[in-house]
């Protein structure tokens, strides 16, 4: 109806003659599935949490002509009122490498049916030092934690935080480091298990025990090298670490 917003991320199933095709709604709530001629049944195989569907099944028929489309095949979703359900996901974007920065992406969203306000907190491993984030944290008082406040998170809205932490040189390769993100909202959450997201990973780095030899061997003055025989070099290089070698020169 006019003025209503679309529902993103809903799986739609299109079926004909026992063959099914799955697609998902985009940010505007629209969906599209490439099909041939025939009659097709359109359904929502799984209802989104905290919503009911008033139309369970739709049909569309196409002839043999190319470029046909069917419009108005809409599924009205009716929200269950006042459902609080926020979710957070923590994902490392770069490897945890000795002497380098690591970026974590924190994605949080409102899966409920009422507007939310609260905070997102990142708790990072004691081996790390906090570098920066986008947006900037609102609270950095507690050790090893950074907190971002949020408000006006409407149902279906998704936001993200990019946080960078530094790992100093000297941390042993293979050391396990942990980080976690927590979120709270405006009320008692319907699915509290997804209010925390953690990452446990091992520190990686390359190790390059390189070797270079010259033949004939010995000590030579610049003049001896200029006047002497051809110098032949043997250069051996390898990587015995648990990550790709970088900054090679």
């Amino acid at each position: 109806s006019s003025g209503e917003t679309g529902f993103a991320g809903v799986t739609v199933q299109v079926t004909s003659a026992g063959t099914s095709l799955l697609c998902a709604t985009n940010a505007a709530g629209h969906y599209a599935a490439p099909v041939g001629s025939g009659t097709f049944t359109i359904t929502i195989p799984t209802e989104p949490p905290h919503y009911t569907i008033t139309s369970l099944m739709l049909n569309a028929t196409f002839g043999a002509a190319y470029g046909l489309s069917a419009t108005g095949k809409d599924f009205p979703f009716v929200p269950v009122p006042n459902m609080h359900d926020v979710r957070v996901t923590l994902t490392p974007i770069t490897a945890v490498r000795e002497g380098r920065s690591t970026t974590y992406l924190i994605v949080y969203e409102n899966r409920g049916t009422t507007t939310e306000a609260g905070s997102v907190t990142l708790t990072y491993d004691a081996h790390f030092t906090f570098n920066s984030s986008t947006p900037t944290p609102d609270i950095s008082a507690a050790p090893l934690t950074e907190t971002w406040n949020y408000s006006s998170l409407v149902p279906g809205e998704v936001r993200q935080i990019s946080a960078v932490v530094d790992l100093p040189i000297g941390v042993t390769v293979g050391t396990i480091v942990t980080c976690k993100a927590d979120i709270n909202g405006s009320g008692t959450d319907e699915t509290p298990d997804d209010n925390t997201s953690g990452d446990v990973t091992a520190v990686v780095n390359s190790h390059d025990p390189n070797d270079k030899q010259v033949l004939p061997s010995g000590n030579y003055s610049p003049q001896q090298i200029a006047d002497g025989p051809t110098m032949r070099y043997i250069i051996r290089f390898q990587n015995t670490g648990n990550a790709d070698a970088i900054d090679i020169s």
Side-chain angles (χ1 to χ4, degrees):
S1 302
S2 177
E4 293 183 348
T5 59
F7 202 128
V10 176
T11 299
V12 180
Q13 182 172 323
V14 181
T15 304
S16 179
T19 300
S20 294
L21 176 68
L22 297 177
C23 58
T25 58
N26 62 18
H30 299 158
Y31 65 93
V35 297
S37 60
T39 297
F40 299 86
T41 300
I42 310 168
T43 59
I44 304 296
T46 304
E47 290 186 9
H50 319 311
Y51 289 82
T52 59
I53 305 174
T54 57
S55 297
L56 299 179
M57 181 183 299
L58 301 173
N59 293 296
T61 301
F62 300 100
Y66 177 77
L68 300 176
S69 63
T71 59
K73 304 301 180 181
D74 301 327
F75 291 91
F77 290 90
V78 179
V80 179
N82 301 318
M83 301 298 287
H84 295 278
D85 189 2
V86 291
R87 179 170 72 174
V88 67
T89 304
L90 175 70
T91 305
I93 303 302
T94 54
V96 180
R97 185 185 290 264
E98 177 197 2
R100 298 279 175 169
S101 297
T102 299
T103 299
Y104 285 92
L105 181 65
I106 305 169
V107 177
Y108 62 102
E109 58 185 300
N110 183 357
R111 295 169 58 85
T113 60
T114 186
T115 301
E116 295 285 347
S119 62
V120 176
T121 298
L122 171 67
T123 304
Y124 52 92
D125 195 273
H127 290 93
F128 286 127
T129 300
F130 184 77
N131 182 314
S132 61
S133 71
T134 304
T136 302
D138 295 293
I139 303 173
S140 301
L144 307 179
T145 62
E146 305 292 332
T147 300
W148 297 262
N149 297 325
Y150 69 90
S151 61
S152 303
L153 188 69
V154 299
E157 184 178 2
V158 180
R159 299 179 188 175
Q160 65 182 38
I161 300 165
S162 177
V164 180
V165 291
D166 296 333
L167 189 69
I169 294 174
V171 178
T172 304
V173 171
T175 298
I176 300 299
V177 294
T178 61
C179 289
K180 74 181 182 77
D182 298 281
I183 187 172
N184 61 65
S186 302
T188 301
D189 200 278
E190 296 293 329
T191 55
D193 288 347
D194 60 11
N195 292 171
T196 297
S197 177
D199 177 72
V200 180
T201 191
V203 174
V204 300
N205 206 356
S206 60
H207 180 60
D208 317 309
N210 303 331
D211 174 61
K212 180 171 66 176
Q213 298 182 12
V214 61
L215 298 173
S217 61
N219 298 319
Y220 296 87
S221 68
Q223 187 60 46
Q224 287 175 314
I225 293 176
D227 297 338
T230 300
M231 313 297 288
R232 290 181 171 86
Y233 288 88
I234 299 174
I235 302 174
R236 295 176 291 191
F237 54 93
Q238 61 181 323
N239 180 6
T240 61
N242 62 351
D244 294 341
I246 58 176
D247 297 339
I248 301 171
S249 60

